[in-house]
Amino acid sequence: MGDKFMNFTTISFDGKTVKVLDQTRLPHEETYLSLSTAQDMANAIKGLIVRGAPLIGVSAAYGVVLSALMHRRKDINIFKNNVLNDIKLLAGTRPTAVNLFYALDKMEKVLGLDTSSVHNLVGLIIDKAKKIHKEDIQMCKNIGDSGESIIPESGVIMTYCNAGALATSGMGTALAPIYRAKEKGKKVTVYVPETRPLLQGARLTAWELSNNDIPVTIICDSARGYVLKKKKVDLCIVGADRIAKNGDTANKVGTYSLAVLAKTNNIPFWVAAPKSSFDKTIETGRDIPIEERDEAEVRNISDKTIAPDVPVFNPAFDVTEATLITGFITDEGIIKPS
Ligand code: MRU
């Protein structure tokens, strides 16, 4: 299975191994890696070979499948213990995107199903991962349909990081309404800030949009205020890694400052995300765990050191308060923050 969107497939499963597009090598090389263990998958998630909240969820589900296949010849109790350990391993990869925990929770529930045969359990685990994968593809299409109407006939959009097809197994979240608008004949153009430190905007979103014939202009992160003030930008659309009950939203670090800039310049600021990104166990953004990553990501650009040996602080995400958000484009329609 796998939704072939444009010319690439972010993830696919052939019954034995999981094939993933290595996003660390884009845009220079389109390389696919074959993963055969849960540890391989944990490394791929942690190393951003696969990234973006929805794709992290689908990848983790297939990580559990790889674990089940590896341990399938064992006694049922040992099998369950080994797979549970791998679920813990996968859960420890990235703390912010709730989709990881949403998918792993669903996979763990399968282990609890009343069956005395490992063979049956493995079949159920594979079916569940394929279902999560299929649902992800469908939720992207639904977000595209929900959000298309907010895009003007000649719309100029600013997005951030990559919340497109590369961040999911379908057509993306923040970029899905843009693809749908293009299909309907609208002329959409996009600004994308480069998104330091790992440049998902410049490397991934620019590659993805230009491959799909959508005009895209890269700007420096520091040029966002200038562009919002001086150029025609109709709206911002970003993705989400986790949304608290009150609508506060965690997304790639820099999203919060983009939202403040959008508000100052009276530009609507939309968040596109599936309902599975809404964490009903968390009241406000203050409770969302924020991943901090290696200082080398900031200190270096393409393996070249660009800073002196002083401390580096590298949060991967930040939280945008609900008051800064115009609305949520979800797979179940548009929701306004209350
Ligand atoms: O660190 P990343 O590349 O996984 O961060 C990705 C983002 O912040 C995306 O905007 C978010 O996951 C939404 S993806 C549809």
Side-chain angles (χ1 to χ4, degrees):
M1 189 175 62
D3 195 28
K4 206 157 173 61
F5 186 74
M6 295 185 284
N7 300 318
F8 60 83
T9 307
T10 51
I11 191 161
S12 60
F13 174 60
D14 66 6
K16 284 190 182 139
T17 59
V18 179
K19 199 166 112 182
V20 295
L21 174 60
D22 182 351
Q23 301 197 21
T24 64
R25 292 181 173 270
L26 290 172
H28 306 298
E29 279 175 45
E30 205 177 314
T31 309
Y32 288 84
L33 300 178
S34 216
L35 312 180
S36 43
T37 67
Q39 183 68 61
D40 287 348
M41 184 58 86
N43 294 344
I45 295 172
K46 208 166 176 66
L48 270 65
I49 285 167
V50 287
R51 33 72 46 207
L55 184 59
I56 290 172
V58 175
S59 302
Y62 279 126
V64 179
V65 168
L66 293 175
S67 171
L69 290 174
M70 173 175 264
H71 300 297
R72 72 185 183 282
R73 297 196 202 292
K74 296 181 179 156
D75 157 85
I76 188 137
N77 290 323
I78 298 177
F79 169 83
K80 284 188 182 184
N81 271 339
N82 287 161
V83 175
L84 272 177
N85 282 341
D86 282 337
I87 289 177
K88 281 193 195 117
L89 171 79
L90 290 157
T93 51
R94 299 196 72 190
T96 305
V98 74
N99 313 60
L100 175 75
F101 307 100
Y102 172 86
L104 288 176
D105 195 48
K106 283 190 179 290
M107 298 305 292
E108 189 172 335
K109 286 207 171 89
V110 178
L111 270 188
L113 292 179
D114 185 21
T115 167
S116 51
S117 142
V118 170
H119 179 78
N120 286 352
L121 263 186
V122 172
L124 292 172
I125 285 171
I126 292 174
D127 288 349
K128 180 57 87 177
K130 286 184 173 170
K131 187 161 183 271
I132 289 171
H133 187 173
K134 213 168 149 191
E135 283 170 0
D136 183 59
I137 294 168
Q138 188 57 46
M139 75 75 186
C140 291
K141 289 185 179 140
N142 294 349
I143 288 175
D145 290 339
S146 302
E148 181 276 322
S149 61
I150 65 165
I151 310 248
E153 282 301 325
S154 295
V156 184
I157 321 285
M158 187 177 288
T159 186
Y160 190 56
C161 190
N162 175 267
L166 285 168
T168 66
S169 53
M171 67 195 296
T173 58
L175 301 190
I178 295 174
Y179 292 130
R180 274 283 192 255
K182 182 180 181 249
E183 279 166 17
K184 294 212 165 175
K186 295 182 183 175
K187 290 197 186 334
V188 191
T189 61
V190 177
Y191 282 106
V192 65
E194 54 187 348
T195 320
R196 271 284 279 152
L198 294 180
L199 303 171
Q200 289 93 331
R203 291 190 306 107
L204 306 180
T205 297
W207 181 80
E208 181 184 323
L209 288 173
S210 57
N211 268 352
N212 206 36
D213 297 325
I214 293 184
V216 52
T217 302
I218 299 168
I219 58 171
C220 288
D221 294 330
S222 42
R224 295 179 308 176
Y226 180 81
V227 172
L228 290 178
K229 194 194 283 186
K230 292 287 188 186
K231 302 278 185 183
K232 169 190 174 307
V233 177
D234 297 299
L235 56 139
C236 299
I237 313 181
V238 301
D241 283 82
R242 195 187 294 232
I243 302 167
K245 264 167 89 175
N246 71 343
D248 290 353
T249 297
N251 192 50
K252 179 53 56 192
V253 67
T255 302
Y256 164 59
S257 44
L258 179 60
V260 172
L261 287 166
K263 181 128 193 151
T264 306
N265 290 283
N266 291 317
I267 294 170
F269 188 87
W270 292 88
V271 171
K275 286 304 280 294
S276 53
S277 297
F278 289 74
D279 185 345
K280 295 190 187 80
T281 69
I282 277 190
E283 292 296 327
T284 77
R286 275 194 299 277
D287 300 323
I288 300 177
I290 298 294
E291 177 182 6
E292 288 176 24
R293 292 185 62 87
D294 198 313
E295 58 181 57
E297 292 181 352
V298 175
R299 203 184 290 292
N300 302 333
I301 296 184
S302 295
D303 294 333
K304 189 172 172 13
T305 303
I306 49 112
D309 192 13
V310 300
V312 164
F313 174 51
N314 183 18
F317 300 95
D318 62 21
V319 172
T320 300
E321 281 79 28
T323 48
L324 296 168
I325 296 170
T326 308
F328 297 93
I329 307 165
T330 80
D331 47 330
E332 295 176 13
I334 301 267
I335 301 174
K336 293 280 184 174
S338 51

